[in-house]
Amino acid sequence: MANSVDIKYYLILAAVLFCLGMFGVLVRRNALVVFMCVELMLNAANLTFLAFAKQHGNVTGHVSAFFVIAVAAAEASIGLAIVIAVFRSRGTVNIEDIRTMKH
Amino acid sequence: MDALKSFFMTAPVEPAEFAQSLWLIIALPLLGAFVCGVFGKRLGRGNVHLIACASVAGAFVLSAIAFWCVNHAPQGGLPVSMENPFSASALRYSIGYDYGIWFAAGDFRVNLGLMVDHLSGIMLLVITGVGFLIHLYSTSYMEHDESGWRYFAYLNLFVAAMLTLVLADNLVLLFVGWEGVGLASYLLIGFWYTDAAKAWAGRKAFVTNRIGDFAFLIASFLLVLLVGAFTGQANPANYTSVGVDPSAAQTRYAEGLAFKGPLSFMGLEIMANALPVTAESNPAAALSLQSPIAQGPLEGRTFGGVLTVTLLLFLLGAAGKSAQFPLYVWLPDAMAGPTPVSALIHAATMVTAGVYLFCRMSYLLVLSPTAMLTVAIIGAVTALLAALIAFAQDDIKKVLAYSTVSQLGLMFMGVGTGIFWAAVLHLVTHAFFKACLFLGAGSVMHGNGDETDIKKLGGLRREMKTTWWTFAVATLAITGIFPLSGFFSKDALLHGVHHNHLVGFEGAANALYALGLLIAVCTAFYMTRVYLLTFEGERSKEARVAHAHESSGYMTVPLVLLAILSIVALFYALPLMPGRNGVRQPVMENFLGPVFASAERLAARGGQVKLDHSLPSIVDYLVAWVTALVGGGLAAFAYLKYFPSRAGMPAPVWARSVRRFTQNKFYVDEVYEAVVIRPVKGLGTLVFKMVEAFIDRVLVHGTAWVTNFTGITLRYLQTGDAQVYAAVMALALLGGAVYAIIQVLN
């Protein structure tokens, strides 16, 4: 398949996306942005699944990607619900201020 | 007369059936102790008295029936006998029952077996009989005490333990009773524990006894090894003196060991019989006392040597319990307990345990003249030392305490020279008159505001009539005045000491006899002194109460009974029974014949001891009587004539220093303090310091410190900040990725 793009470009893109997501998770203070960065990491994972699936001609990767999307959707809905609940009770979504577990 | 004889020799119960109920004799007082101890406070005084006395009375009745059963011999029938699992021959005049395995470990086994023969039968009657009188007396004596229920619980416990001791048919069960009386005596001596001195006295008794008990335990272990070595090395010829068919006897003995364990008295008796003294005395036998042990921890030691060591350790054990020379110091201090307790411990029970132990194992003792002589010398030294200390004691109970130590020394002399029956006879008569003396002293204290200093008493003869005459009878008995029982029993002892010979130590007999006479003089002197100062003369000006009052009937009835018993017990020393070669035997000797048959048989082989069975002649009796009269007369002269005439004059310096020396008990306690207690205490402090420095500082505190430090350090990692955790995870991931890349590149 000469016209196809070499798999290593997909993987490099996925690694870049993952690192961006991880960087965002580590440094951002807004809980919503952190969530978005987590989604970014999940999507980097999905991209590698699909790249390998295409290379091997195997649909298992696609199925895995669908599972990840489904789980990510569920996680996002629960996470957003938590963030909204926290915002209601505290008036902030800054994760540096949400530290009740420490005490 | 024949009808009476046949009545006494026909048991009311079938002996074999009654044997199964022997445990009841122990269980009754034990139950009494339990009920009094647990429910006593709620039951009220009267009920506690009733339960305590009734349980001992019940034990007495059962003991009497047991004793009756042991004498069972219907006209024309055979005497009662029980099967001996170790040999084909039966045990005559004894009943017993084995309640099965108590515990077993490997091939070591101990059965819960009880046995009554003539020796333990006599002990049973003395313990429960005198014990009951003391219980009865206590109901009045302890009337005003707050915790009477506790007292009676302990007293019942004591009786139960002592009964276990004499009923046991093996050394381990005997040891249970042995420890039990130690415990009960500790509880009773320290009964008034709020008084520090009295609590200390209890502790002293406990610790001193423990030393002896430890020796007893080691001796028991040695015996186990010895029996093992014996069964391994003996050949059938060894058993020729045990049964008609030696190889069958050997098989039987092995079966007996498997069934009853190595520490059963019956088995030890067979072993003693199967051990010839020298190789020549039974050339076919594989081993004698001189042959070495082939294997095991005792390898290379001779049987005789190990046996001697074992017996010496038993002697140390007996010295603790019976208050003999190195370990007697606890007994005078034990006077801190209530007076009836002193009577019980001193007269009837605990202190006689050592004498009982050696009589029980007489067959082993006669195999070792060294051990016998040591026993006799320890007895003589103790008797003399205690008698000398008794001279200067002013506390009426202390005099009696030292007198007990001294009389026990006499019994040990008898045991050590092989005149076992006389030792037992003296034990019995001593139980009667010493209990009478102690209870009399208690009665005197009761009537005189708890005054124990005999110098501050006096003239009680007219005020306490019953106490006076019973005390007088008991004093005459212990000093050995003719026709009282003490005269006969002490004389039988001294005669035996004089005429029995230990092979290799022939000279000892005369020396011991002379010492015995000296002790008799001392006894007569200090007992007369106590009696005169307490009951005769004028009432002391320092007396606490102007007029002493006679005690209640509960106290005087036991006194009267004991006084009568200390007279009629002389019957046992009368030569009324048919004996060897047509010579009449004393009743007690005849009576205990079956018990000491093995010892006699071993002695008759002539290797170790030469036992003598002659009766004391008139000259012997005269000598004994004169000694008693001399001692008593000296005391009477000194305290009725000499000292009163010198009243007001100061005593010479030497007399005062001698008196102070004696009064302080020859400073034996102080010597122990310096030689034993200080070094042990120092060692204890040293060990304590080491424990403190290493275990406490390093191990205990160190562990706590390390845990604490780790916690403080790790606390900074647990921020609760999700991003920090995520960063750590990312770093770990990075590390893992770097590691994987390195692996791939390689």
Side-chain angles (χ1 to χ4, degrees):
Chain A
M1 287 216 258
N3 63 336
S4 66
V5 183
D6 193 10
I7 189 168
K8 72 182 173 199
Y9 297 113
Y10 288 105
L11 292 183
I12 290 169
L13 176 63
V16 169
L17 281 177
F18 187 87
C19 288
L20 283 173
M22 196 166 77
F23 182 76
V25 167
L26 292 184
V27 300
R28 295 307 295 261
R29 294 287 174 262
N30 190 314
L32 286 170
V33 179
V34 170
F35 258 118
M36 283 154 66
C37 291
V38 169
E39 297 297 318
L40 209 54
M41 286 160 74
L42 289 172
N43 280 322
N46 277 344
L47 189 57
T48 48
F49 274 130
L50 293 176
F52 281 118
K54 186 162 188 294
Q55 192 196 18
H56 294 296
N58 190 333
V59 292
T60 319
H62 297 277
V63 176
S64 298
F66 277 119
F67 271 111
V68 172
I69 290 166
V71 171
E75 179 230 313
S77 61
I78 292 174
L80 282 174
I82 293 174
V83 168
I84 289 166
V86 168
F87 182 75
R88 276 200 184 149
S89 65
R90 308 197 169 204
T92 176
V93 289
N94 190 331
I95 54 173
E96 285 211 320
D97 298 338
I98 310 167
R99 283 182 160 177
T100 40
M101 293 287 274
K102 188 179 175 181
H103 304 292
Chain B
M1 196 68 195
D2 273 347
L4 197 67
K5 199 171 155 191
S6 71
F7 174 73
F8 275 118
M9 293 180 87
T10 313
V13 193
E14 187 57 40
E17 275 174 32
F18 184 76
Q20 299 177 14
S21 315
L22 282 176
W23 63 274
L24 269 175
I25 299 181
I26 302 169
L28 264 180
L30 205 58
L31 184 72
F34 176 77
V35 173
C36 290
V38 176
F39 307 111
K41 214 168 184 177
R42 270 168 281 163
L43 281 176
R45 203 177 292 279
N47 289 331
V48 167
H49 290 172
L50 186 68
I51 290 166
C53 292
S55 62
V56 179
F60 176 71
V61 171
L62 288 174
S63 302
I65 296 176
F67 191 62
W68 205 341
C69 287
V70 169
N71 289 319
H72 180 72
Q75 226 140 36
L78 290 169
V80 63
S81 57
M82 67 180 271
E83 196 192 349
N84 186 346
F86 292 89
S87 127
S89 63
L91 292 172
R92 286 195 309 135
Y93 296 109
S94 52
I95 60 171
Y97 193 75
D98 200 316
Y99 299 94
I101 299 186
W102 177 17
F103 62 83
D107 53 0
F108 177 76
R109 169 176 171 153
V110 178
N111 276 19
L112 205 63
L114 301 180
M115 193 179 83
V116 181
D117 60 2
H118 273 169
L119 178 59
S120 41
I122 290 171
M123 293 298 289
L124 281 183
L125 288 182
V126 170
I127 294 161
T128 51
V130 177
F132 173 69
L133 292 178
I134 290 166
H135 271 73
L136 190 65
Y137 178 95
S138 301
T139 57
S140 174
Y141 190 83
M142 300 298 285
E143 206 171 20
H144 307 299
D145 203 280
E146 282 285 295
S147 43
W149 54 277
R150 197 161 57 86
Y151 171 82
F152 280 101
Y154 294 164
L155 216 55
N156 272 356
L157 182 69
F158 192 103
V159 172
M162 192 65 199
L163 290 172
T164 315
L165 198 159
V166 296
L167 277 172
D169 85 337
N170 60 59
L171 266 172
V172 182
L173 192 56
L174 186 145
F175 189 68
V176 171
W178 190 267
E179 286 290 307
V181 290
L183 169 72
S185 71
Y186 162 73
L187 294 172
L188 282 169
I189 293 167
F191 178 70
W192 286 311
Y193 57 85
T194 44
D195 181 341
K198 290 171 178 168
W200 274 80
R203 208 180 74 171
K204 188 173 178 183
F206 194 72
V207 171
T208 319
N209 266 298
R210 237 27 357 77
I211 298 170
D213 295 343
F214 189 57
F216 185 111
L217 268 185
I218 299 172
S220 306
F221 293 143
L222 278 179
L223 265 188
V224 175
L225 294 177
L226 198 68
V227 171
F230 171 76
T231 39
Q233 283 175 254
N235 67 355
N238 268 107
Y239 294 89
T240 41
S241 49
V242 176
V244 185
D245 179 0
S247 51
Q250 187 177 24
T251 321
R252 190 82 197 256
Y253 179 68
E255 283 169 5
L257 276 186
F259 174 59
K260 295 280 286 178
L263 285 178
S264 166
F265 291 124
M266 291 175 246
L268 294 176
E269 186 170 354
I270 300 296
M271 182 180 81
N273 276 307
L275 273 172
V277 175
T278 54
E280 292 88 59
S281 52
N282 185 358
L287 56 91
S288 65
L289 280 180
Q290 277 142 11
S291 42
I293 292 172
Q295 53 187 343
L298 299 173
E299 191 181 337
R301 315 286 194 285
T302 61
F303 279 89
V306 174
L307 193 62
T308 304
V309 171
T310 309
L311 288 168
L312 290 179
L313 284 169
F314 273 126
L315 173 63
L316 189 56
K321 204 62 57 180
S322 289
Q324 292 300 291
F325 169 56
L327 302 178
Y328 73 92
V329 285
W330 67 268
L331 194 70
D333 288 31
M335 294 298 108
T339 311
V341 169
S342 313
L344 187 63
I345 296 178
H346 281 228
T349 55
M350 177 167 162
V351 293
T352 59
V355 180
Y356 171 78
L357 178 74
F358 276 117
C359 288
R360 181 51 74 214
M361 301 203 295
S362 53
Y363 34 80
L364 288 180
L365 193 61
V366 290
L367 287 177
S368 170
T370 319
M372 287 186 83
L373 188 71
T374 317
V375 172
I377 288 175
I378 289 288
V381 168
T382 315
L384 193 61
L385 191 69
L388 291 179
I389 295 175
F391 268 101
Q393 298 296 319
D394 286 336
D395 184 321
I396 184 167
K397 286 174 75 182
K398 285 255 162 88
V399 178
L400 295 178
Y402 281 106
S403 156
T404 307
V405 176
S406 173
Q407 296 299 310
L408 282 164
L410 277 180
M411 291 177 216
F412 268 70
M413 274 168 78
V415 166
T417 45
I419 182 92
F420 299 107
W421 71 268
V424 176
L425 176 61
H426 197 54
L427 189 162
V428 173
T429 59
H430 177 255
F432 295 148
F433 51 67
K434 188 50 70 64
C436 187
L437 286 171
F438 265 116
L439 296 184
S443 179
V444 165
M445 285 162 61
H446 206 66
N448 288 278
D450 281 336
E451 179 60 78
T452 56
D453 192 337
I454 47 177
K455 296 237 159 121
K456 297 176 184 168
L457 292 167
L460 291 178
R461 180 179 178 166
R462 289 168 294 281
E463 288 165 358
M464 306 179 79
K465 283 236 163 51
T466 316
T467 308
W468 162 67
W469 75 260
T470 51
F471 200 94
V473 165
T475 307
L476 289 178
I478 197 175
T479 48
I481 297 295
F482 185 67
L484 292 151
S485 61
F487 172 77
F488 288 100
S489 60
K490 193 185 286 181
D491 199 47
L493 255 181
L494 293 179
H495 179 79
V497 169
H498 193 191
H499 288 87
N500 284 352
H501 290 287
L502 307 174
V503 170
F505 307 104
E506 278 79 2
N510 286 326
L512 284 174
Y513 180 60
L515 265 179
L517 287 181
L518 183 60
I519 294 160
V521 174
C522 297
T523 311
F525 185 90
Y526 65 73
M527 283 314 299
T528 314
R529 171 174 175 267
V530 166
Y531 166 74
L532 292 175
L533 287 179
T534 312
F535 289 98
E536 301 290 334
E538 288 304 308
R539 192 152 178 76
S540 167
K541 289 175 187 67
E542 298 166 81
R544 284 194 201 172
V545 283
H547 282 286
H549 66 87
E550 182 59 287
S551 309
S552 74
Y554 288 111
M555 286 166 78
T556 49
V557 167
L559 284 177
V560 172
L561 286 176
L562 285 168
I564 293 172
L565 279 171
S566 44
I567 300 171
V568 297
L570 75 93
F571 167 77
Y572 288 112
L574 298 181
L576 296 174
M577 296 302 230
R580 293 173 197 73
N581 314 325
V583 183
R584 293 250 154 191
Q585 260 183 334
V587 177
M588 194 61 129
E589 184 177 6
N590 186 283
F591 204 54
L592 291 174
V595 181
F596 300 127
S598 281
E600 298 268 341
R601 198 158 50 239
L602 292 171
R605 289 193 207 153
Q608 307 288 290
V609 198
K610 290 194 178 65
L611 293 186
D612 170 85
H613 295 289
S614 64
L615 289 169
S617 66
I618 296 295
V619 179
D620 292 322
Y621 277 132
L622 273 178
V623 169
W625 199 24
V626 168
T627 21
L629 285 181
V630 165
L634 277 177
F637 170 72
Y639 286 93
L640 289 184
K641 282 259 184 294
Y642 184 68
F643 286 120
S645 71
R646 285 173 55 89
M649 278 188 271
V653 178
W654 65 268
R656 265 183 291 165
S657 58
V658 166
R659 188 176 150 76
R660 200 177 319 118
F661 187 62
T662 326
Q663 216 157 22
N664 288 316
K665 300 167 271 179
F666 295 166
Y667 296 102
V668 172
D669 274 331
E670 282 74 6
V671 169
Y672 280 178
E673 173 78 32
V675 176
V676 183
I677 300 173
R678 286 267 175 77
V680 171
K681 257 191 187 161
L683 193 70
T685 317
L686 198 71
V687 173
F688 171 71
K689 284 268 153 65
M690 277 159 59
V691 167
E692 170 104 345
F694 183 67
I695 297 185
D696 200 40
R697 290 267 159 73
V698 177
L699 292 189
V700 178
H701 285 194
T703 316
W705 184 82
V706 166
T707 315
N708 197 15
F709 178 78
T710 318
I712 288 170
T713 317
L714 289 179
R715 197 170 70 189
Y716 294 106
L717 298 179
Q718 294 288 325
T719 55
D721 189 336
Q723 282 183 316
V724 173
Y725 297 161
V728 171
M729 277 158 71
L731 278 176
L733 198 64
L734 188 65
V738 169
Y739 179 75
I741 287 165
I742 291 170
Q743 289 290 311
V744 169
L745 291 181
N746 282 349

